[in-house]
């Protein structure tokens, strides 16, 4: 192992640990809090968490073994099963993110009719489509023996070496896979979240107008209070932009290098650095570690549930925890 492989191995270990811990916490919150289970987005988050956990215990450890041994981890049949899971879980998680963005768009743009437009039955139908979509691509790749150990990514995944006899078919399959998963999800994320941002900015402007009118009327208000109101205005405008940028930005940063490397690998006759291939795969894996924070753990409802669970484990009441926090200050 050279220095780059050691760094990559440490990176994979870190991703596995963070992904397992964070996704398990999300799963515990889902099982513990009945309010989260009642919400329609909870089904999409549960499906996303399931995909991330399975990816963390199946594909990521094999990539780590491939980096350490610099060879084929396990037999051909076992690697095909893991390659099937790699395609299925990655596709399923991407489509789950698209479903979450559509749910958020409906909730923000149509708040009064949200519960009539998005019901649990509709969520189950959407999840059914994501599973069928993912199963179709992963099954075709496995049946055509297009999955195996790929040295460029040090993992069991789609392998163009195994598909040398079906060059054009494999090219069409790969382009279709990434177009109908990565590109489709990216378009859905951009369209829905940018519309959400537009609505959020409109509401911020309305609140800003009311705030400024109130500040004008309150002549005797202290300057510090006035400044605090103006600072809150600025934070309110930035908050929506920051959230939308996080949703779209993490998806682009984590998946784009891997997808582009896949396309370049098929179209370019020149060799690609294995260090870059492993790095792009690690970035794709890192999405499983970041998803719990982006979609769940940073939300108030999940933070409150985590706090209640922590107090229950430590056998403290919420009032005692508040008192101890005040005493520490």
């Amino acid at each position: 192992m050279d220095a780059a492989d050691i760094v990559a191995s440490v990176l994979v270990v870190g991703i596995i640990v963070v992904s397992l811990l964070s996704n398990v916490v999300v799963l515990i919150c889902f099982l513990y809090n009945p309010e989260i289970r009642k919400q329609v987005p909870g089904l999409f988050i549960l499906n996303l968490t399931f995909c991330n956990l399975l990816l963390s215990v199946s594909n990521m450890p094999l990539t780590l073994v491939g980096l350490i041994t610099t060879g084929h981890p396990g037999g051909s049949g076992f690697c095909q099963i893991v390659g099937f899971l790699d395609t299925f879980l990655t596709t399923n998680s991407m489509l789950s993110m698209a479903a979450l963005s559509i749910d958020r768009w409906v909730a923000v743009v149509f708040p009064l009719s949200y519960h009539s437009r998005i019901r649990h039955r509709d969520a189950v139908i959407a999840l059914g489509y994501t599973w069928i979509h993912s199963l179709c691509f992963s099954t075709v790749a496995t049946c055509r023996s297009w999955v195996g150990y790929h040295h460029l990514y040090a993992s069991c995944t789609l392998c163009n070496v195994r598909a040398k006899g079906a060059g054009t078919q494999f090219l069409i399959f790969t382009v279709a896979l990434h177009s109908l998963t990565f590109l489709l999800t990216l378009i859905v994320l951009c369209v829905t979240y940018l519309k959400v941002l537009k609505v959020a900015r409109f509401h911020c402007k309305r609140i800003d107008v009311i705030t400024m009118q109130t500040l004008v009327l309150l002549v005797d208000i202290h300057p510090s209070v006035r400044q605090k109101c103006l600072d809150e205005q600025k934070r309110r405008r930035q908050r929506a932009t920051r959230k939308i940028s996080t949703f779209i930005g993490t998806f682009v940063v984590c998946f784009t290098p891997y997808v582009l490397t896949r396309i370049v690998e098929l179209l370019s006759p020149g060799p690609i650095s294995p260090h870059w291939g492993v790095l792009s795969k690690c970035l794709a894996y890192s999405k499983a570690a970041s998803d719990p924070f982006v979609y769940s753990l940073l939300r108030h409802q999940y933070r409150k549930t985590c706090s209640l669970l922590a107090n229950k484990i430590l056998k403290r009441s919420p009032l005692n925890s508040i008192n101890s926090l005040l005493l520490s200050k």
Side-chain angles (χ1 to χ4, degrees):
M1 288 179 67
D2 56 14
D5 289 335
I6 295 173
V7 172
S9 300
V10 173
L11 181 60
V12 172
V13 170
I15 292 171
I16 291 173
V17 172
V18 174
S19 179
L20 284 174
L21 292 176
S22 57
N23 281 286
V24 166
V25 171
V26 172
L27 186 60
I28 292 172
C29 289
F30 182 87
L31 296 174
Y32 181 80
N33 193 331
E35 292 299 321
I36 295 176
R37 294 198 300 271
K38 288 179 183 177
Q39 297 171 357
V40 173
L43 293 177
F44 300 131
I45 292 174
L46 180 64
N47 188 61
L48 184 61
T49 303
F50 163 77
C51 293
N52 290 338
L53 280 173
L54 201 52
L55 195 69
S56 302
V57 299
S58 60
N59 298 76
M60 294 185 196
L62 239 66
T63 300
L64 180 62
V65 173
L67 286 170
I68 294 173
T69 61
T70 62
H72 193 299
S76 177
F78 177 70
C79 200
Q80 280 203 336
I81 294 173
V82 176
F84 171 88
L85 288 174
D86 180 73
T87 305
F88 172 78
L89 296 174
T90 305
T91 304
N92 203 336
S93 62
M94 287 187 187
L95 295 176
S96 297
M97 296 171 210
L100 281 167
S101 70
I102 293 173
D103 175 84
R104 183 50 41 202
W105 169 67
V106 175
V108 172
V109 179
F110 307 102
L112 298 179
S113 58
Y114 168 73
H115 292 291
S116 62
R117 289 173 180 266
I118 303 292
R119 294 166 292 183
H120 277 83
R121 185 184 64 182
D122 302 318
V124 171
I125 293 173
L127 287 178
Y129 170 76
T130 64
W131 277 66
I132 293 171
H133 182 115
S134 306
L135 279 171
C136 286
F137 278 103
S138 52
T139 302
V140 168
T142 305
C143 291
R144 299 283 295 178
S145 298
W146 290 345
V147 292
Y149 183 74
H150 203 315
H151 289 276
L152 178 61
Y153 308 103
S155 59
C156 296
T157 181
L158 286 173
C159 186
N160 57 345
V161 176
R162 294 179 62 89
K164 275 189 175 179
T168 306
Q169 293 178 355
F170 184 73
L171 175 63
I172 294 172
F173 173 84
T174 305
V175 172
L177 171 64
H178 295 307
S179 299
L180 295 175
T181 52
F182 170 77
L183 186 59
L184 175 65
T185 303
L186 180 59
I187 292 172
V188 171
L189 289 177
C190 290
V191 171
T192 53
Y193 282 131
L194 290 178
K195 286 184 178 292
V196 168
L197 181 61
K198 184 179 179 181
V199 174
R201 284 180 172 173
F202 173 74
H203 287 302
C204 283
K205 286 181 181 179
R206 291 181 61 185
I207 296 171
D208 290 347
V209 170
I210 296 171
T211 303
M212 293 305 298
Q213 289 175 347
T214 305
L215 291 175
V216 170
L217 291 174
L218 297 173
V219 181
D220 298 331
I221 191 171
H222 194 275
S224 64
V225 178
R226 182 187 297 271
Q227 186 60 41
K228 189 176 289 186
C229 292
L230 294 175
D231 292 340
E232 180 59 31
Q233 276 186 346
K234 186 178 179 180
R235 282 195 296 270
R236 193 185 300 115
R237 287 193 298 267
Q238 293 175 345
R239 195 179 300 126
T241 305
R242 188 167 57 249
K243 286 184 178 180
I244 299 304
S245 301
T246 302
F247 288 135
I248 300 175
T250 53
F251 182 85
V252 171
V253 170
C254 292
F255 285 124
T256 302
Y258 178 68
V259 173
L260 290 180
T261 304
R262 280 288 190 181
I263 301 300
V264 170
E265 180 190 5
L266 291 175
L267 302 178
S268 175
I272 298 175
S273 170
H275 297 318
W276 170 253
V278 172
L279 177 61
S280 66
K281 190 65 176 177
C282 288
L283 283 173
Y285 283 154
S286 68
K287 193 70 173 75
S290 64
D291 281 342
F293 300 98
V294 172
Y295 292 103
S296 306
L297 297 179
L298 296 180
R299 289 173 55 195
H300 172 72
Q301 200 169 26
Y302 281 86
R303 292 205 310 268
K304 185 179 177 181
T305 305
C306 290
S307 177
L308 290 173
L309 286 170
N311 290 328
K312 190 173 182 180
I313 293 171
L314 298 173
K315 296 181 179 179
R316 295 187 303 179
S317 67
L319 183 61
N320 289 335
S321 63
I322 294 172
N323 289 335
S324 63
L325 183 63
L326 292 174
L327 287 172
S328 65
K329 291 182 178 180

